[in-house]
Amino acid sequence: PAFLNGEKINVSSNPTLDDSLIATGFPYYDFNMNKRILHCLEYFMEHTQGIRRFGSAATDLAYIACGRFDAFYEYSLNVWDVAAGAFIVQQAGGKVSDFSKGKNYMYGREMVAANSFVFDEFSDVIQRFLS
């Protein structure tokens, strides 16, 4: 289990992508996927309850773990951006993967994280636009 201030936390139980709040970030140096990133962003703007960008993958993942956001994706990440957050999301009942639904999210420079209800649908959208 995962804890916040001594209280057990869980990812959200939101069952649909349409009702989800999404978190993301944008690359600082690697702009090769800009057009695809923008198309993906446009899709989520039109098919979710909104998108938030805090500027810290670690914070976004912590918010996924405690149910404040339903899903997260980002490209051009480093291991230090995601290592602790990925573990906390998993301990809180969430799922994490790379953009191809694989296990290379730690060193693959890309990550998807979500509650287990929206993970597959969310990952399918990410895969369509960004893989």
Side-chain angles (χ1 to χ4, degrees):
F3 296 88
L4 171 65
N5 296 327
E7 300 290 324
K8 187 176 177 195
I9 58 171
N10 293 295
V11 295
S12 75
S13 58
N14 188 351
T16 66
L17 190 56
D18 288 342
D19 292 326
S20 293
L21 188 58
I22 309 300
T24 192
F26 304 110
Y28 291 99
Y29 304 107
D30 182 354
F31 304 113
N32 293 321
M33 290 182 48
N34 275 6
K35 291 209 185 295
R36 290 191 284 165
I37 289 169
L38 291 173
H39 289 298
C40 187
L41 189 63
E42 179 180 32
Y43 179 89
F44 286 130
M45 288 171 64
E46 295 174 359
H47 294 94
T48 67
Q49 289 300 306
I51 302 166
R52 302 293 182 265
R53 181 190 183 275
F54 284 167
S56 165
T59 300
D60 292 334
L61 290 166
Y63 271 44
I64 293 289
C66 64
R68 295 176 186 165
F69 294 148
D70 302 296
F72 163 79
Y73 72 102
E74 190 168 345
Y75 169 74
S76 193
L77 294 164
N78 292 298
V79 67
W80 53 83
D81 295 321
V82 299
F87 178 73
I88 295 168
V89 167
Q90 291 169 322
Q91 293 299 302
K95 295 182 178 182
V96 296
S97 75
D98 59 30
F99 287 176
S100 299
K101 296 185 184 179
K103 297 186 184 296
N104 194 23
Y105 56 86
M106 196 70 70
Y107 297 100
R109 303 188 45 80
E110 60 190 40
M111 177 178 271
V112 172
N115 74 38
S116 59
F117 298 107
V118 300
F119 182 83
D120 288 333
E121 182 183 3
F122 183 68
S123 295
D124 288 346
V125 173
I126 297 296
Q127 201 167 26
R128 181 172 55 195
F129 287 102
L130 300 176
S131 284

